[in-house]
Amino acid sequence: MNKVVANADEAIRDIKDGMTLLLGGFGLCGIPENCIAALVRKNVRDLTCVSNNAGVDGFGLGLLLQKKQIRKMISSYVGENAEFERQMLSGELQVDLIPQGTLATRCLASGYGMPAIFTPAGVGTEVAEGKEIRNFNGKDYLLEYAFDADFAMVKAWKGDTHGNLIFKATSRNFNPLMAMAGKITIAEVEHLVPAGELDPNEIHTPGIYIQRIFQGAAYEKRIEQLTVQKRN
Amino acid sequence: MNKVVANADEAIRDIKDGMTLLLGGFGLCGIPENCIAALVRKNVRDLTCVSNNAGVDGFGLGLLLQKKQIRKMISSYVGENAEFERQMLSGELQVDLIPQGTLATRCLASGYGMPAIFTPAGVGTEVAEGKEIRNFNGKDYLLEYAFDADFAMVKAWKGDTHGNLIFKATSRNFNPLMAMAGKITIAEVEHLVPAGELDPNEIHTPGIYIQRIFQGAAYEKRIEQLTVQKRN
Amino acid sequence: MLDKNGIAKRIAKELKDGYYVNLGIGIPTLVANYIPKGMNVVLQSENGLLGMGPFPFEGEEDPDLINAGKQTITTVPGSAFFDSAMSFGMIRSGKVNLTILGAMEVDENGDIANWKIPGKMVKGMGGAMDLVASAKNIIVAMQHVNKAGESKLLPKCTLPLTGIRCVKKIVTELAVLDVMESGGFRLLERAPGVSVDHIVKSTAGRLLVEGEIPEMQID
Amino acid sequence: MLDKNGIAKRIAKELKDGYYVNLGIGIPTLVANYIPKGMNVVLQSENGLLGMGPFPFEGEEDPDLINAGKQTITTVPGSAFFDSAMSFGMIRSGKVNLTILGAMEVDENGDIANWKIPGKMVKGMGGAMDLVASAKNIIVAMQHVNKAGESKLLPKCTLPLTGIRCVKKIVTELAVLDVMESGGFRLLERAPGVSVDHIVKSTAGRLLVEGEIPEMQID
């Protein structure tokens, strides 16, 4: 049950042009830094990336945007990213904006073998256009479909050789969901330990959802909005 | 945010005849022993109980059955329980048998604000009778509805005064799901600690889903099938 | 007339002991500073946290601990982390008691627009559509008029909608209003020093003014 | 003719390295005893465990650690606990590679009946309907004929169904068979000492016997 690969390059070896990728993280928090760097090195192109955000200029998914490797982004909030904006306005980049809870729940649906889910998010808005609406108990819901993605890439705090994962604080965010939703899921971790070292009661993502795992390196963990208070 | 009540009797004080209750546990593992005992003392009647199993003669939900307090059981497997069988065959007790995964996912739906979910379990069987069937990608699914229950009662290993819960081993089972699905959820715990003592990273059920919590007493934790091997 | 902190202070009076609250970006964030002493309110951050605390002290920031605005934060005792599906699960199932968020426009039906201006760069709706579609209790914190001096309380929203029939109450620099079941705004309170006439002139949507309108008590 | 352990041994040969496997109650449970040395197979118990180990030593049983048959068990290194929704989530999403379960009847279409006998006390389907509706790979472990000597491999199940068009392979005390895409059983192997004729006579459903039928290799 050893799922360990040497590094990010080996983990993404069979990712090909035109594939659909799910990437964990919220803003720059909990993003699979090593996998993104390897995608840049491999220079795979025409990617469809499903990720809550699209990184910033020069970091996160911004690195893939810079090299024009992404054809389409499916996100809930694309933030402040000059290159993103330029590509979107020029029509080089397709962008599908979907509600954050819909994004999360569509991943959950994939991981839980549910072909579709109902959510009220977007009813009465342009998000509902072309979608099936159904009323339950007097309230309208949209039918939203599970994702069908070739690969998922997630970042965890700790992981074991069986692929069991533990996330830290709010870097959990979309990671456990996308981990469940990939046909092949790659986990990069800050601390890779032998099977048996993690408490089975504390595991957030059971290894059955993970196909490849590796010890990440040189994490930058950039902060997008540094907000602090002075001691007095 | 202190949700602590003194004991089970206080926790169930406003449960009334005819209500629908969700009860955590699998077999006798992780059942809310103190709450069940209090329901017996209070002698509320005509209950609809949603629980994966129905206890055994003389323990768990068997205690409520003995006193004829249950009008209807919604379960996946009702096991070996002579009084249960007698009441069911005599027509005193209504029994709805539903697939275990359907039971779990209908609770999840309630807790996640999804009015209904799709599952393939039961397609082509008598479970599908009268239910809506829908085909996604060539496979048939049943539409199953979220539960709408007055109270949920769960048993956790550790809990804090805010209602955050941690379960132990396989006593987790249906507990986190039913905890999310009750209009009012009561948690009984083996170890009640002040808010701040549990690691926020290790919490299985966030306190927002819990309305009342108490320190349980005198846990029996009976074993239904003792299976051991001899040392040699 | 209130400043941003005044609006936040007034909204803080809507909090109740035991509430779980989601605060949007902008003025709503300031509400956290005015939670009455001794009142238990737990702040939810939709990126996966219940029990959000203040900003960390300099040097103690943790890149793995941020709020939905991507700001570094801390936790309070009794907090819990979870994934985004559970986070929106608790929002959709109505466990979050109160949502406070900003808006570009609100209308007589309680519709809200706060995510998109056609022709301008669109950043996305984030979690706003989930929040407004699910919350039982939504308070909008915003300026009564926009920078061009036009009312943001309209007969009908002109911008792309975020959600429909969802706004219950509005707190602006001029007034507290609610949205009536039958449609239309109702004036509940006026800001210190602000006349009813000023509020009437600043409100484009139908406005019910009934009886004496009390001045807000915010301190 | 095989005994129960023989059936379990033969089924164990269907395991592959890296498989996640759900074992039903009865003969399937015995398969755990015959996992080839050095092969990595993780056992899933649908009450919320990946990495089920053997029974505990006397005195070391933990009432909080049981399998889906409610038996006290242990865990192996690398195990994980989860709730029942995630457990059936991994089953429904096809992450569990192989499901082995018992049956009262199996038919030419791959339909299976194993939960209810009309007129007898019905205990319930437990997780069986979820498992058979979801698993990509289902092996049935059962006796070829019932106690009355009647075949359990039928043209069409007579008992209430657990699931339809789901059984891929059947291992009995007499034979290994698969269910053909087009319907009908195909004889793959015969148990040591059992004749093809015996199997043909014991099989009520349509049975394809093509060429020489090899004897099972189980040791």
Side-chain angles (χ1 to χ4, degrees), chain A:
Chain A
M1 207 49 66
N2 192 334
K3 298 172 178 177
V4 177
V5 296
N7 52 40
D9 297 300
E10 193 188 324
I12 67 147
R13 61 189 182 269
D14 45 0
I15 294 184
K16 294 187 173 60
D17 290 358
M19 280 187 167
T20 296
L21 314 182
L22 301 166
L23 295 109
F26 183 95
L28 302 180
C29 181
I31 59 173
E33 296 185 17
N34 285 249
C35 283
I36 292 170
L39 289 170
V40 170
R41 281 193 295 274
K42 191 172 161 74
N43 199 25
V44 279
R45 307 187 77 79
D46 284 323
L47 297 173
T48 294
C49 290
V50 184
S51 169
N52 189 57
N53 312 92
V56 296
D57 288 313
F59 199 62
L61 287 181
L63 296 167
L64 289 172
L65 287 163
Q66 224 161 359
K67 285 191 67 191
K68 304 196 177 65
Q69 294 175 251
I70 303 178
R71 185 176 52 83
K72 182 177 179 180
M73 282 294 313
I74 299 175
S75 303
S76 88
Y77 195 84
V78 287
E80 338 264 338
N81 193 334
E83 178 60 17
F84 184 100
E85 186 170 346
R86 194 197 61 70
Q87 289 185 23
M88 180 172 157
L89 295 176
S90 74
E92 289 169 60
L93 179 68
Q94 295 173 46
V95 180
D96 260 19
L97 292 172
I98 63 177
Q100 198 173 128
T102 302
L103 179 60
T105 315
R106 288 176 63 190
C107 290
L108 180 80
S110 305
Y112 276 20
M114 301 188 289
I117 54 96
F118 293 103
T119 176
V123 167
T125 77
E126 62 181 56
V127 164
E129 280 167 25
K131 287 183 184 155
E132 183 175 329
I133 296 174
R134 181 157 176 165
N135 191 287
F136 292 93
N137 307 315
K139 188 174 171 111
D140 283 337
Y141 294 81
L142 302 184
L143 183 73
E144 298 274 7
Y145 294 90
F147 282 111
D148 186 25
D150 301 296
F151 279 85
M153 273 157 270
V154 302
K155 149 77 169 52
W157 180 35
K158 297 178 186 172
D160 72 17
T161 51
H162 278 37
N164 294 302
L165 304 179
I166 296 176
F167 303 93
K168 189 183 147 208
T170 58
S171 74
R172 193 181 318 181
N173 56 61
F174 284 87
N175 280 303
L177 304 166
M178 289 178 167
M180 295 193 299
K183 279 199 199 75
I184 295 176
T185 294
I186 299 164
E188 57 174 80
V189 301
E190 288 183 61
H191 305 282
L192 181 61
V193 301
E197 289 209 2
L198 302 179
D199 183 338
N201 222 27
E202 295 176 6
I203 285 166
H204 297 134
T205 295
I208 193 170
Y209 285 114
I210 305 300
Q211 281 68 49
R212 301 171 193 171
I213 189 168
F214 66 93
Q215 168 71 57
Y219 282 104
E220 286 192 45
K221 300 216 264 185
R222 287 199 201 167
I223 289 174
E224 201 162 341
Q225 303 280 346
L226 178 64
T227 46
V228 294
Q229 54 176 317
K230 288 199 189 300
R231 278 179 200 285
N232 45 352

Side-chain angles (χ1 to χ4, degrees), chain C residues 35-184:
Chain C
I35 299 170
K37 287 267 176 266
M39 183 180 282
N40 291 298
V41 167
V42 173
L43 301 179
Q44 197 238 22
S45 191
E46 67 265 29
N47 57 319
L49 168 62
L50 276 169
M52 180 164 56
F55 295 149
F57 290 118
E58 284 179 295
E60 292 183 3
E61 63 276 5
D62 177 353
D64 290 325
L65 181 50
I66 65 172
N67 64 17
K70 283 122 189 169
Q71 298 171 312
T72 47
I73 48 154
T74 58
T75 59
V76 297
S79 62
F81 297 116
F82 35 85
D83 67 41
S84 300
M86 180 177 266
S87 186
F88 285 94
M90 56 185 69
I91 288 166
R92 272 200 307 267
S93 64
K95 300 291 177 184
V96 174
N97 304 95
L98 176 62
T99 289
I100 304 170
L101 76 177
M104 299 168 180
E105 294 178 351
V106 170
D107 74 22
E108 295 175 2
N109 301 316
D111 294 1
I112 180 173
N114 71 351
W115 77 284
K116 183 175 184 178
I117 301 175
K120 288 204 177 177
M121 169 65 189
V122 179
K123 291 184 177 172
M125 66 292 282
M129 284 193 182
D130 306 274
L131 282 158
V132 301
S134 306
K136 286 175 292 191
N137 192 3
I138 296 176
I139 300 179
V140 166
M142 66 173 191
Q143 301 299 320
H144 213 102
V145 297
N146 64 20
K147 283 168 188 160
E150 298 156 341
S151 178
K152 296 169 72 176
L153 288 87
L154 303 173
K156 195 148 185 48
C157 289
T158 63
L159 294 170
L161 295 177
T162 308
I164 56 172
R165 288 184 288 281
C166 54
V167 176
K168 297 282 181 288
K169 197 170 260 193
I170 304 151
V171 180
T172 75
E173 78 282 17
L174 303 180
V176 179
L177 313 94
D178 66 3
V179 177
M180 294 183 287
E181 282 276 334
S182 53

Side-chain angles (χ1 to χ4, degrees), chain B residues 50-208:
Chain B
V50 184
S51 169
N52 190 59
N53 311 92
V56 297
D57 287 312
F59 200 60
L61 287 181
L63 296 167
L64 290 173
L65 287 164
Q66 224 160 358
K67 284 192 65 190
K68 304 197 178 67
Q69 294 175 252
I70 304 178
R71 184 175 53 81
K72 183 177 178 181
M73 282 294 313
I74 300 176
S75 302
S76 90
Y77 193 84
V78 287
E80 339 264 339
N81 192 335
E83 179 59 17
F84 184 100
E85 186 170 346
R86 194 197 62 70
Q87 291 185 24
M88 180 171 156
L89 295 177
S90 74
E92 289 169 60
L93 179 69
Q94 295 173 46
V95 179
D96 259 21
L97 293 172
I98 63 177
Q100 196 172 131
T102 302
L103 178 60
T105 314
R106 288 176 63 191
C107 291
L108 180 81
S110 305
Y112 276 20
M114 302 188 290
I117 53 97
F118 293 104
T119 175
V123 168
T125 77
E126 62 181 56
V127 164
E129 279 167 25
K131 287 182 183 157
E132 183 174 330
I133 296 174
R134 181 155 175 166
N135 191 287
F136 292 92
N137 306 313
K139 188 174 169 109
D140 283 336
Y141 294 82
L142 301 185
L143 183 72
E144 298 274 7
Y145 294 89
F147 282 112
D148 186 24
D150 301 295
F151 279 84
M153 272 157 271
V154 303
K155 149 76 170 51
W157 179 36
K158 297 178 186 173
D160 71 18
T161 51
H162 278 37
N164 294 301
L165 304 179
I166 296 176
F167 304 92
K168 189 183 148 210
T170 56
S171 74
R172 193 182 317 180
N173 56 62
F174 284 87
N175 280 302
L177 304 166
M178 290 179 167
M180 295 194 298
K183 279 198 199 77
I184 295 176
T185 295
I186 300 164
E188 57 174 80
V189 301
E190 287 183 62
H191 305 282
L192 181 62
V193 302
E197 289 209 1
L198 301 179
D199 183 337
N201 223 26
E202 294 176 7
I203 285 165
H204 297 134
T205 295
I208 194 170

